[in-house]
Amino acid sequence: MDPALQLFKWELSQIFLDRGFIAKIIIGMGISLLLLPFLLNSLSSFATNVNTPNLPFVYKIITIGVVGEYPALVGILEGNTLLSVIHLDDEENARRLLANGELNGFLAVSGRSVKFVGNGNPLSSLAELQVREALDKVVKAGSNPDVKVIQEHSIEPFVKGIISPFIIFSPLLLWCLPIIQSISYDRENKMLEALFSLPIDRRKIFLAKVFANLAFAIFASFVWMLVLGAFGLNFVNFLGGLVMLSAISLLIISLNGLVSTISSNVKNATLASGIVSTIVFSFLFIISLLRINPYLAEFSSVSPVTYISYQVSGILTPFPLETLLLLLLAIISANLLSVAAFSTEKFAFSLNPGIAQLYEGMQELLGKPAYSAFAMGFVAFCLTLPVQVISLGILLFISSSYWIVIFLLAAMEESLKFIPLGVMKPSNWSEGALWGAIIGLSFGICESVLFAPHLEFIPLRAIPIAAHSLFTLIMGAGYGARRPYLGLSIAIILHFVYNETVLSRLI
Amino acid sequence: MGIGEFAKKEATDLVTDKVFLISILLQFTIISALLFLYQFYSSINNTNFPVTVELDSYNADLVGRLQENGVNVQVRTPEGLTTYQSGVQPARRLGSIRVAFNTSSNEVKSDVANVFSGYAISKIRDAAELVSFEQALEKEGVAYEISGTMDGDFAFLPLNYGLIVPIAIILPAFIVMGFTLQGILVERKTKAIELLLVSPISDFQIAQIKVLPYMAVSTLLSVIWLLFISSRVEVLNIWALAAVAAMFSIITVSLSTIISCTASSVKEANAISSLAGMAIPMLGILPYSIFSPFFPTVIMARVSSSHLGMELALTIAVLGFVAAAFFLAAMLAIRNMRRNFA
């Protein structure tokens, strides 16, 4: 038998034989399942609140006072979980409490006249929205409204679709953990040194570890979906759901693998894995939550969480091949980077491996400068995304100025393409220009594949790809001609002008 | 070396940790992304994209409301289309978004491929609901008067108090929870903790050394995030929220101290902490019950938005009591570890 296959089997058996770990997964599934009946029962309460998304975590954040009698209206207001209703004797008292900030607004009822008084802050306006909705229900009770827009879906499947993924994905994070143990923990305990002395290619060792964890994840996803079905959370397309859950598991496993290969110890790897998983899930959920606004609903289909949400809401949607391709792209990128880092001597024998390993790994693996330049363009792009996301996050707080944003984007992309040139060190301008052009080409292709909204859109991206090659060509030539910062500055300015030209046509 | 110096060392180790510093950047990103999305959602209905709605018959109230909402209306008559222009200038250079609304069947026909169709539909829904509300008020003879409110869309406001504010408190608490867990596990592995266990420092003091510095750092971060949030959206009672953040972080840090002191291996500790980390946010999505007012997320949402009355103070006191219980349990876990070591 192939030694890599043997290693795969051994790794897989290690996961299954770890009784403690299996028990934790079962407990994790149990905790999630305990919440499921609560979730399904609570959904009926959402069905009555059509306009305002009253989620369980907002409870009585508004206080309103009621002066006078209107039992039908007050009954509805008291049933609203956002509101805390206080009965008051006179309007004078209500005005005093409103001025003190103890009330967000009050209702004064006399005969058939209803008056809402707020104190001019946003919560008063939210309170008025609740009162208007309640009054709407009261005055329309028993009659058919003249105009009412037919909605495609009620809020119930929507909320079920938003909350269910939390329950579905929670145990998933657990079954993606063994890869950290089998890389970082084995490295710390010198187990990897023993493995590296065997006549097996290091790349195969890494892939055996990833596939062993994946095999376990697919098995766990399958069991989990069956159990969820038994508890009332059914997937419309079982196979589609399984493929998507497995793909998300593989993404988390690959990212855990990547952080394990570039972390110096288990502690850092575990922390980094927690942070990376949180970020990935937050972004997938945030993209999926764009459905909350009909105007942005289309964009939410990019997230695999959206597909899972529709699946459990009982809405049959076609399997999103493009989402799967995007996931695969991220998975392949993470694994290529991990293999590069894992194969370096530094990984096995240095005390503090780090991100520089990724570039060194590329050089060690590929040998020829042109090939490694292409691979480094790819690495630069992979690094660009998280760096840009973090920087834009910071920037949105300070300023959302259009000019600063597009300048920052240009500067970050060019700087990250500059680092590989520093590792490769071209000796003259023509060498620098060639390697720079290759780095830019690869960067541009990766960007186009990821940002193209549809696959058939990619050929239209020839101009941005060429532009990236040109900017890095100039930068590389500058680097080769011993004028690195001049080259970088010219590239950033050209990129900035290019961004502005393209964006001014779009907006 | 007094416990103050031990605590100072723990806090310094934490704030100089590279991974911790990166995690601060990431927390910042998540919170600013959420704030950005919140502001985007809140302002999207106030943006004037050019919309044209085609009606099958003339309805004066509906046409008037749509025009007020910045929508151009076309009504189909036997002679052809009659256009009623809205007085509002569109904000962007875009082709008009066209939607047809059948007033007798109440069905909307839109271009499914156009991502802006949903925006146009929400305009129709808003106008139609207002018209039917006004008609119903008139029919029932009810007069409704409003004063002291602001213009704008506030339906997403609960997301600020119920999601962004709790995240600003929970995120730092969870991150320091990870650091306490890994810190104690590493100390157990390198036997550094044995020095502390054999020293004459009491269990209570060790618990203080292991919990309070992390609590302080987490609370400080939460306060910074809350001040950032309050620069965009009003957040009330920030100092009471800081107290809630301190209590919540005592719970999470004590929990990870308990896990790391009692677990038999690193693997087990990681798995148990993942479970604990999973269970805590899930409290936030449980349905309403008599316990709801005491959930940490609900307390955070209410303190940040409401007047601090007796009832709310009572729920904070209960949280403080739970935090004290967790701290006591962490102390017992340390005592147990000491006994096993001895």
Side-chain angles (χ1 to χ4, degrees), chain A residues 18 24 28 35 42 56-61 81 101-102 112 114 116 118 120 125-126 128 136 140 146 148 150 170 188 267 275 286 293 295 298 393 397 507, chain B residues 26 28 32 37 44 93 105-106 115-116 132-133 135 140 142-148 150 154 158 162 182 189 232 267-268 275 282 286-288 302 305-307:
Chain A
D18 188 344
K24 264 94 199 181
L35 294 173
S42 69
F57 43 75
V58 274
Y59 180 78
K60 294 194 173 175
I61 58 167
T81 47
E102 289 179 44
R112 304 293 279 172
V114 182
F116 177 88
S125 306
L126 183 64
E128 194 274 322
D136 189 74
K140 283 181 191 166
D146 296 336
K148 186 154 177 59
I150 293 178
S170 301
E188 220 173 310
K267 178 190 159 196
I275 292 169
I286 286 172
N293 193 312
Y295 158 64
E298 188 87 350
F397 250 129
I507 299 174
Chain B
L26 295 174
F28 199 76
S32 52
L37 277 179
I44 190 77
R93 281 177 277 153
S105 68
N106 296 337
V115 290
F116 294 91
S132 65
F133 176 54
Q135 285 174 350
E140 295 290 313
V142 178
Y144 181 50
E145 190 191 322
I146 309 163
S147 65
M150 297 163 79
F154 296 96
Q182 299 301 331
K189 202 174 157 193
R232 296 292 166 103
K267 221 178 198 176
E268 191 181 305
L275 290 176
M282 278 186 176
L286 280 177
Y288 306 106
R302 291 187 68 190
S305 61
S306 314
H307 177 77

Coordinates of all heavy atoms in Angstrom, one line a residue, chain A residues 18 24 28 35 42 56-61 81 101-102 112 114 116 118 120 125-126 128 136 140 146 148 150 170 188 267 275 286 293 295 298 393 397 507, chain B residues 26 28 32 37 44 93 105-106 115-116 132-133 135 140 142-148 150 154 158 162 182 189 232 267-268 275 282 286-288 302 305-307:
Chain A
D18 N -10.0 8.6 19.2 CA -10.0 9.6 20.3 C -11.4 9.7 21.0 O -12.2 10.5 20.5 CB -9.5 11.0 19.8 CG -9.2 12.0 20.9 OD1 -9.7 11.7 22.0 OD2 -8.6 13.0 20.7
K24 N -17.0 14.8 22.8 CA -17.3 16.3 22.8 C -18.1 16.6 21.6 O -19.0 17.5 21.7 CB -16.0 17.0 22.8 CG -15.5 17.5 24.1 CD -14.5 16.5 24.7 CE -14.3 16.6 26.1 NZ -13.3 15.6 26.5
G28 N -21.5 18.5 21.8 CA -21.8 19.7 21.0 C -23.1 19.6 20.2 O -23.9 20.5 20.2
L35 N -31.4 23.2 21.7 CA -31.9 24.6 21.4 C -32.9 24.5 20.2 O -33.7 25.4 20.1 CB -30.8 25.5 21.0 CG -29.8 25.8 22.1 CD1 -28.6 26.5 21.6 CD2 -30.5 26.6 23.2
S42 N -40.4 29.1 19.0 CA -40.4 30.6 19.1 C -40.7 31.2 17.8 O -41.0 32.4 17.7 CB -39.0 31.1 19.6 OG -38.1 30.8 18.7
P56 N -35.0 37.7 19.5 CA -35.0 37.4 20.9 C -34.0 38.2 21.7 O -34.2 38.5 22.9 CB -34.7 36.0 21.0 CG -34.9 35.4 19.7 CD -34.7 36.5 18.7
F57 N -32.9 38.7 21.1 CA -31.9 39.4 21.9 C -32.2 40.8 22.2 O -31.5 41.5 23.0 CB -30.5 39.2 21.3 CG -30.4 39.4 19.8 CD1 -30.5 40.7 19.3 CD2 -30.2 38.3 19.0 CE1 -30.5 40.8 17.9 CE2 -30.2 38.5 17.7 CZ -30.3 39.7 17.1
V58 N -33.3 41.3 21.6 CA -33.7 42.7 22.0 C -35.0 42.5 22.8 O -36.0 42.1 22.2 CB -33.9 43.6 20.8 CG1 -32.6 44.3 20.5 CG2 -34.5 43.0 19.6
Y59 N -35.0 42.8 24.0 CA -36.1 42.6 24.9 C -36.3 43.8 25.7 O -35.5 44.3 26.4 CB -35.7 41.4 25.8 CG -36.8 41.0 26.8 CD1 -37.9 40.2 26.4 CD2 -36.7 41.3 28.1 CE1 -38.8 39.9 27.3 CE2 -37.6 41.0 29.0 CZ -38.7 40.2 28.6 OH -39.7 39.8 29.5
K60 N -37.5 44.4 25.5 CA -37.9 45.6 26.3 C -36.9 46.7 26.3 O -36.4 47.2 27.3 CB -38.3 45.2 27.7 CG -39.5 44.3 27.7 CD -40.1 44.2 29.1 CE -41.4 43.4 29.0 NZ -42.0 43.1 30.3
I61 N -36.4 47.1 25.1 CA -35.5 48.2 25.0 C -36.1 49.6 25.0 O -35.5 50.6 25.1 CB -34.4 48.1 23.9 CG1 -35.2 48.1 22.5 CG2 -33.6 46.9 24.0 CD1 -34.2 48.3 21.3
T81 N -42.6 42.4 22.4 CA -41.5 42.2 23.3 C -40.4 43.3 23.3 O -39.6 43.3 24.1 CB -40.8 40.9 22.9 OG1 -40.6 40.9 21.5 CG2 -41.6 39.7 23.3
G101 N -36.1 61.2 30.7 CA -35.5 60.1 29.9 C -36.0 58.8 30.4 O -35.5 57.7 30.0
E102 N -36.9 58.7 31.3 CA -37.4 57.5 31.8 C -38.4 56.8 30.8 O -38.7 55.6 30.9 CB -38.1 57.6 33.2 CG -37.1 57.9 34.3 CD -37.7 58.1 35.7 OE1 -38.6 57.3 36.0 OE2 -37.3 59.0 36.4
R112 N -61.9 59.0 20.8 CA -61.3 58.3 19.5 C -60.1 59.0 19.0 O -59.7 58.9 17.9 CB -62.4 58.3 18.5 CG -63.7 57.7 18.8 CD -63.6 56.2 19.1 NE -63.6 55.4 17.8 CZ -63.3 54.1 17.8 NH1 -63.0 53.5 18.9 NH2 -63.4 53.5 16.6
V114 N -56.0 59.6 19.4 CA -54.8 59.0 19.9 C -53.6 59.9 19.6 O -53.5 60.3 18.4 CB -54.5 57.6 19.3 CG1 -53.2 57.0 19.9 CG2 -55.7 56.7 19.5
F116 N -49.4 60.5 20.0 CA -48.1 59.9 20.5 C -47.1 61.1 20.6 O -47.0 62.0 19.7 CB -47.5 59.0 19.4 CG -46.2 58.4 19.8 CD1 -46.0 57.3 20.7 CD2 -45.0 59.1 19.4 CE1 -44.8 56.9 21.1 CE2 -43.8 58.7 19.8 CZ -43.6 57.6 20.7
G118 N -43.2 62.0 21.5 CA -41.8 61.5 21.7 C -40.9 62.6 22.2 O -41.3 63.7 22.4
G120 N -37.9 63.2 20.6 CA -37.1 63.6 19.5 C -35.8 62.8 19.3 O -35.0 63.2 18.5
S125 N -38.7 57.5 17.8 CA -39.2 57.2 16.5 C -39.5 55.7 16.4 O -40.5 55.3 15.7 CB -38.2 57.7 15.4 OG -37.9 59.0 15.7
L126 N -38.6 54.9 17.0 CA -38.8 53.4 16.9 C -40.1 53.1 17.7 O -40.9 52.2 17.3 CB -37.6 52.7 17.5 CG -37.7 51.2 17.4 CD1 -37.7 50.7 16.0 CD2 -36.5 50.6 18.2
E128 N -42.7 55.0 18.1 CA -43.8 55.5 17.4 C -44.1 54.5 16.3 O -45.3 54.2 16.0 CB -43.5 56.8 16.7 CG -44.7 57.6 16.2 CD -45.1 57.2 14.8 OE1 -44.2 56.9 14.0 OE2 -46.3 57.0 14.5
D136 N -52.5 50.1 13.6 CA -52.8 49.6 12.2 C -53.6 48.3 12.4 O -54.6 48.1 11.8 CB -51.5 49.3 11.5 CG -51.7 49.0 10.0 OD1 -52.1 49.9 9.3 OD2 -51.5 47.8 9.7
K140 N -57.6 47.9 11.5 CA -57.9 47.0 10.4 C -58.5 45.7 10.9 O -58.8 44.8 10.0 CB -56.6 46.7 9.6 CG -56.2 47.8 8.8 CD -54.9 47.4 8.0 CE -54.3 48.6 7.3 NZ -53.0 48.3 6.9
D146 N -57.7 47.8 1.9 CA -57.9 48.1 0.4 C -56.7 47.7 -0.4 O -56.7 47.1 -1.4 CB -58.2 49.5 0.2 CG -59.6 49.9 0.9 OD1 -60.3 48.9 1.0 OD2 -59.8 51.0 1.2
K148 N -52.9 46.0 -0.1 CA -51.8 45.3 0.6 C -51.0 44.5 -0.4 O -51.5 43.7 -1.1 CB -52.4 44.3 1.6 CG -51.4 43.7 2.5 CD -52.0 43.3 3.9 CE -51.0 42.6 4.8 NZ -49.8 43.4 5.0
I150 N -48.7 41.8 -1.9 CA -48.5 40.4 -1.6 C -47.0 40.1 -1.5 O -46.3 40.4 -2.5 CB -49.2 39.5 -2.7 CG1 -50.7 39.6 -2.6 CG2 -48.7 38.0 -2.5 CD1 -51.4 38.8 -3.6
S170 N -22.4 25.2 14.5 CA -21.7 25.2 15.8 C -20.9 23.9 15.9 O -19.7 24.0 16.2 CB -22.7 25.3 17.0 OG -23.3 26.5 16.8
E188 N 5.3 20.2 17.7 CA 5.8 20.5 19.0 C 6.4 19.3 19.7 O 7.4 19.4 20.5 CB 4.7 21.2 19.8 CG 5.2 22.3 20.6 CD 4.0 23.0 21.3 OE1 3.1 23.4 20.6 OE2 4.1 23.3 22.5
K267 N -0.4 26.8 21.0 CA -1.2 27.9 21.5 C -1.6 29.0 20.5 O -2.7 29.3 20.3 CB -0.3 28.6 22.6 CG -1.0 29.8 23.3 CD 0.0 30.5 24.2 CE -0.5 31.9 24.4 NZ 0.6 32.8 24.9
I275 N -9.7 32.8 15.8 CA -9.9 34.1 15.2 C -10.3 34.0 13.7 O -11.3 34.6 13.3 CB -8.6 35.0 15.4 CG1 -8.4 35.3 16.9 CG2 -8.7 36.3 14.6 CD1 -7.1 35.9 17.2
I286 N -22.6 37.7 7.6 CA -23.0 39.1 7.2 C -23.4 39.2 5.8 O -24.4 39.8 5.4 CB -21.8 40.0 7.5 CG1 -21.7 40.2 9.0 CG2 -22.0 41.4 6.8 CD1 -20.4 41.0 9.4
N293 N -32.4 43.1 3.4 CA -32.8 44.2 2.6 C -33.1 43.7 1.2 O -32.1 43.2 0.6 CB -31.8 45.3 2.6 CG -32.3 46.6 2.0 OD1 -32.9 46.6 1.0 ND2 -32.1 47.6 2.7
Y295 N -33.2 45.0 -1.5 CA -32.4 45.7 -2.5 C -31.0 45.0 -2.7 O -30.4 45.0 -3.7 CB -32.2 47.2 -2.0 CG -31.0 47.9 -2.5 CD1 -30.9 48.2 -3.9 CD2 -30.1 48.4 -1.6 CE1 -29.8 48.9 -4.3 CE2 -29.0 49.1 -2.1 CZ -28.9 49.4 -3.4 OH -27.8 50.1 -3.8
E298 N -29.7 39.9 -3.8 CA -29.0 39.2 -4.9 C -27.6 38.9 -4.4 O -27.1 37.8 -4.7 CB -29.0 40.0 -6.1 CG -28.4 39.3 -7.4 CD -29.5 38.5 -8.1 OE1 -30.6 38.3 -7.6 OE2 -29.2 38.0 -9.2
G393 N -11.9 48.3 7.3 CA -12.7 48.4 8.5 C -12.2 49.5 9.4 O -13.0 50.3 9.9
F397 N -14.2 53.8 10.1 CA -14.4 54.5 11.3 C -13.9 55.9 11.2 O -14.5 56.9 11.7 CB -13.6 53.8 12.5 CG -14.6 53.2 13.4 CD1 -14.4 51.9 13.8 CD2 -15.6 53.9 13.9 CE1 -15.2 51.3 14.7 CE2 -16.5 53.3 14.8 CZ -16.3 51.9 15.2
I507 N -19.9 54.6 -11.2 CA -20.8 55.2 -10.3 C -21.5 56.4 -10.9 O -20.9 57.3 -11.5 CB -20.1 55.7 -9.0 CG1 -19.5 54.4 -8.3 CG2 -21.0 56.4 -8.0 CD1 -18.6 54.7 -7.2
Chain B
L26 N -8.8 42.9 14.4 CA -9.9 42.1 13.8 C -11.2 42.5 14.5 O -12.3 42.6 13.9 CB -9.7 40.6 13.9 CG -8.5 40.1 13.1 CD1 -8.2 38.7 13.3 CD2 -8.8 40.4 11.6
F28 N -11.9 45.3 15.8 CA -12.2 46.7 15.2 C -12.9 46.5 13.9 O -13.9 47.2 13.6 CB -10.9 47.4 15.1 CG -11.0 48.8 14.9 CD1 -11.3 49.6 16.0 CD2 -10.9 49.5 13.7 CE1 -11.4 51.0 15.9 CE2 -11.0 50.8 13.6 CZ -11.2 51.6 14.7
S32 N -16.6 47.7 13.1 CA -16.9 48.8 12.1 C -17.7 48.3 10.9 O -18.5 49.0 10.4 CB -15.6 49.4 11.7 OG -14.7 48.5 11.2
L37 N -22.7 48.4 8.1 CA -23.9 47.7 7.5 C -25.2 48.3 8.1 O -26.1 48.6 7.5 CB -23.9 46.2 7.8 CG -23.1 45.4 6.9 CD1 -23.1 43.9 7.3 CD2 -23.6 45.5 5.5
I44 N -30.6 53.3 3.4 CA -30.9 52.9 2.1 C -32.3 53.3 1.6 O -32.4 53.7 0.4 CB -30.7 51.3 1.9 CG1 -30.7 50.9 0.4 CG2 -31.8 50.5 2.6 CD1 -29.5 51.2 -0.3
R93 N -26.8 58.4 -11.3 CA -27.0 58.3 -12.8 C -27.3 56.8 -13.1 O -26.4 56.0 -13.4 CB -25.8 58.7 -13.5 CG -25.6 60.2 -13.6 CD -24.3 60.6 -14.3 NE -23.2 60.5 -13.4 CZ -22.0 60.3 -13.7 NH1 -21.7 60.0 -15.0 NH2 -21.0 60.3 -12.8
S105 N -55.3 42.8 -7.7 CA -54.8 41.5 -7.2 C -53.7 41.7 -6.1 O -53.3 40.7 -5.5 CB -54.4 40.6 -8.3 OG -53.2 41.1 -8.9
N106 N -53.2 42.9 -6.0 CA -52.1 43.3 -5.1 C -50.8 42.6 -5.4 O -50.0 42.3 -4.6 CB -52.5 43.0 -3.6 CG -53.6 43.8 -3.2 OD1 -53.8 44.9 -3.7 ND2 -54.3 43.4 -2.2
V115 N -31.2 43.8 -9.5 CA -31.0 43.7 -8.0 C -31.7 44.9 -7.3 O -31.9 44.9 -6.1 CB -29.5 43.7 -7.6 CG1 -28.9 42.4 -7.9 CG2 -28.8 44.9 -8.1
F116 N -32.1 46.0 -8.1 CA -32.7 47.1 -7.5 C -34.2 46.9 -7.4 O -34.9 47.8 -6.8 CB -32.4 48.4 -8.3 CG -31.0 48.8 -8.3 CD1 -30.1 48.3 -9.3 CD2 -30.5 49.6 -7.3 CE1 -28.7 48.6 -9.2 CE2 -29.1 49.9 -7.3 CZ -28.3 49.5 -8.2
S132 N -53.4 52.4 3.2 CA -54.4 51.5 3.8 C -54.6 51.9 5.3 O -55.7 51.8 5.8 CB -54.1 50.1 3.6 OG -53.0 49.7 4.3
F133 N -53.5 52.3 6.0 CA -53.6 52.7 7.4 C -54.5 53.9 7.5 O -55.4 54.0 8.3 CB -52.2 52.9 7.9 CG -52.1 53.4 9.3 CD1 -52.7 52.7 10.4 CD2 -51.4 54.6 9.6 CE1 -52.7 53.2 11.7 CE2 -51.3 55.0 11.0 CZ -52.0 54.3 12.0
Q135 N -56.7 55.0 5.4 CA -58.1 54.7 5.1 C -58.8 54.1 6.2 O -59.9 54.4 6.6 CB -58.1 53.8 3.8 CG -57.8 54.6 2.6 CD -57.7 53.7 1.3 OE1 -57.7 52.5 1.5 NE2 -57.6 54.3 0.2
E140 N -62.7 54.0 10.8 CA -63.0 53.7 12.2 C -63.2 55.0 13.0 O -63.5 55.0 14.1 CB -61.9 53.0 12.8 CG -61.6 51.6 12.2 CD -62.8 50.6 12.6 OE1 -63.2 50.6 13.8 OE2 -63.3 49.9 11.7
V142 N -60.9 57.2 13.9 CA -59.8 57.4 14.9 C -58.9 58.5 14.4 O -58.5 58.5 13.2 CB -59.1 56.1 15.1 CG1 -57.9 56.3 16.1 CG2 -60.0 55.0 15.6
A143 N -58.6 59.5 15.3 CA -57.6 60.5 14.9 C -56.3 60.1 15.5 O -56.2 59.8 16.7 CB -58.1 61.8 15.4
Y144 N -55.2 60.2 14.7 CA -53.9 59.8 15.2 C -52.9 61.0 15.0 O -52.8 61.4 13.8 CB -53.4 58.5 14.5 CG -52.0 58.0 15.0 CD1 -51.8 57.9 16.3 CD2 -51.0 57.7 14.0 CE1 -50.5 57.4 16.7 CE2 -49.8 57.3 14.5 CZ -49.5 57.1 15.8 OH -48.3 56.7 16.2
E145 N -52.3 61.4 16.0 CA -51.4 62.6 15.9 C -50.1 62.2 16.5 O -50.0 61.5 17.5 CB -52.1 63.7 16.8 CG -51.5 65.1 16.6 CD -52.1 66.0 17.7 OE1 -53.3 65.9 18.0 OE2 -51.3 66.8 18.2
I146 N -49.0 62.7 15.8 CA -47.6 62.4 16.3 C -46.9 63.7 16.6 O -47.0 64.6 15.8 CB -46.9 61.6 15.2 CG1 -47.7 60.4 14.7 CG2 -45.5 61.2 15.7 CD1 -47.2 59.9 13.4
S147 N -46.1 63.7 17.6 CA -45.1 64.8 17.8 C -43.9 64.3 18.5 O -43.9 63.3 19.2 CB -45.8 65.9 18.6 OG -46.0 65.5 19.9
G148 N -42.8 65.0 18.3 CA -41.5 64.6 19.0 C -40.8 63.4 18.4 O -40.2 62.6 19.1
M150 N -38.5 61.7 14.8 CA -37.5 62.2 13.8 C -37.9 61.6 12.5 O -38.5 60.5 12.4 CB -36.1 61.7 14.1 CG -35.6 62.3 15.4 SD -34.2 61.3 16.0 CE -32.9 62.0 14.9
F154 N -36.2 53.8 11.2 CA -35.6 53.3 12.5 C -35.9 51.9 12.8 O -35.7 51.4 13.9 CB -36.1 54.2 13.6 CG -35.7 55.6 13.5 CD1 -36.5 56.6 12.9 CD2 -34.4 56.0 13.9 CE1 -36.0 57.9 12.8 CE2 -33.9 57.3 13.7 CZ -34.7 58.2 13.2
P158 N -33.1 48.3 16.6 CA -32.9 47.2 17.6 C -31.6 46.5 17.3 O -31.0 45.9 18.2 CB -34.1 46.3 17.4 CG -35.2 47.2 16.9 CD -34.5 48.2 16.0
G162 N -29.2 45.6 20.2 CA -29.3 44.1 20.5 C -28.2 43.3 19.9 O -28.0 42.2 20.3
Q182 N -5.2 29.3 27.1 CA -4.0 28.8 26.5 C -2.8 29.2 27.5 O -1.9 28.4 27.7 CB -3.7 29.5 25.2 CG -4.7 29.2 24.1 CD -4.8 27.7 23.8 OE1 -3.9 27.0 24.0 NE2 -6.0 27.2 23.5
K189 N 2.0 23.0 31.2 CA 2.9 22.1 30.4 C 4.3 22.4 30.7 O 5.1 21.4 30.9 CB 2.6 22.4 28.9 CG 3.1 21.2 28.0 CD 2.6 21.5 26.6 CE 3.5 20.8 25.6 NZ 3.3 21.3 24.3
R232 N -21.2 57.1 16.7 CA -22.1 57.0 15.5 C -23.6 56.9 15.9 O -24.4 57.5 15.3 CB -21.7 55.8 14.7 CG -20.4 55.8 14.1 CD -20.3 56.8 13.0 NE -19.0 57.1 12.6 CZ -18.4 56.7 11.5 NH1 -19.1 55.9 10.7 NH2 -17.1 57.0 11.2
K267 N -6.0 18.9 24.4 CA -7.0 18.6 23.4 C -8.4 18.7 24.1 O -9.3 19.3 23.6 CB -6.8 17.2 23.0 CG -7.1 16.9 21.6 CD -6.8 15.4 21.4 CE -6.5 15.1 20.0 NZ -6.1 13.7 19.8
E268 N -8.5 18.2 25.3 CA -9.8 18.2 26.1 C -10.2 19.6 26.4 O -11.3 20.0 26.2 CB -9.6 17.3 27.3 CG -10.9 17.1 28.0 CD -10.8 16.3 29.3 OE1 -10.2 15.2 29.3 OE2 -11.2 16.8 30.4
L275 N -17.0 24.2 23.3 CA -18.4 23.9 23.6 C -19.0 25.1 24.5 O -20.1 25.6 24.2 CB -18.5 22.6 24.4 CG -18.3 21.3 23.7 CD1 -18.4 20.2 24.6 CD2 -19.3 21.2 22.6
M282 N -25.4 31.2 22.3 CA -26.7 30.6 22.0 C -27.8 31.1 23.0 O -29.0 31.0 22.7 CB -26.6 29.1 22.0 CG -26.1 28.6 20.6 SD -26.1 26.9 20.5 CE -25.6 26.7 18.8
L286 N -32.2 32.2 22.5 CA -33.3 31.4 23.1 C -34.6 32.3 23.1 O -34.5 33.5 23.1 CB -32.9 31.1 24.5 CG -32.0 29.9 24.7 CD1 -31.7 29.8 26.2 CD2 -32.6 28.7 24.2
P287 N -35.7 31.6 23.0 CA -37.0 32.4 22.9 C -37.3 33.0 24.3 O -36.6 32.8 25.3 CB -38.0 31.3 22.6 CG -37.4 30.0 23.1 CD -35.9 30.2 22.9
Y288 N -38.2 33.9 24.3 CA -38.6 34.7 25.5 C -39.1 33.8 26.6 O -39.8 32.8 26.3 CB -39.7 35.7 25.2 CG -39.4 36.6 24.1 CD1 -40.0 36.4 22.9 CD2 -38.4 37.6 24.2 CE1 -39.7 37.3 21.8 CE2 -38.1 38.4 23.2 CZ -38.7 38.3 22.0 OH -38.4 39.1 21.0
R302 N -30.5 46.3 27.0 CA -31.4 47.2 27.8 C -30.6 48.3 28.4 O -31.1 49.5 28.4 CB -32.2 46.4 28.8 CG -33.2 45.5 28.2 CD -34.1 44.8 29.2 NE -34.9 45.8 29.9 CZ -35.7 45.5 30.9 NH1 -35.6 44.3 31.5 NH2 -36.5 46.4 31.4
S305 N -29.8 51.1 26.1 CA -30.9 51.9 25.4 C -31.9 52.5 26.4 O -32.6 53.4 26.0 CB -31.6 51.0 24.5 OG -32.2 49.9 25.2
S306 N -31.9 52.0 27.6 CA -33.0 52.4 28.5 C -32.5 53.2 29.7 O -31.4 53.2 30.1 CB -33.8 51.2 29.0 OG -34.1 50.3 28.0
H307 N -33.5 53.8 30.4 CA -33.2 54.5 31.6 C -32.9 53.5 32.7 O -33.5 52.4 32.8 CB -34.5 55.3 32.0 CG -34.3 56.0 33.3 ND1 -33.6 57.2 33.4 CD2 -34.8 55.7 34.5 CE1 -33.7 57.6 34.7 NE2 -34.4 56.7 35.4

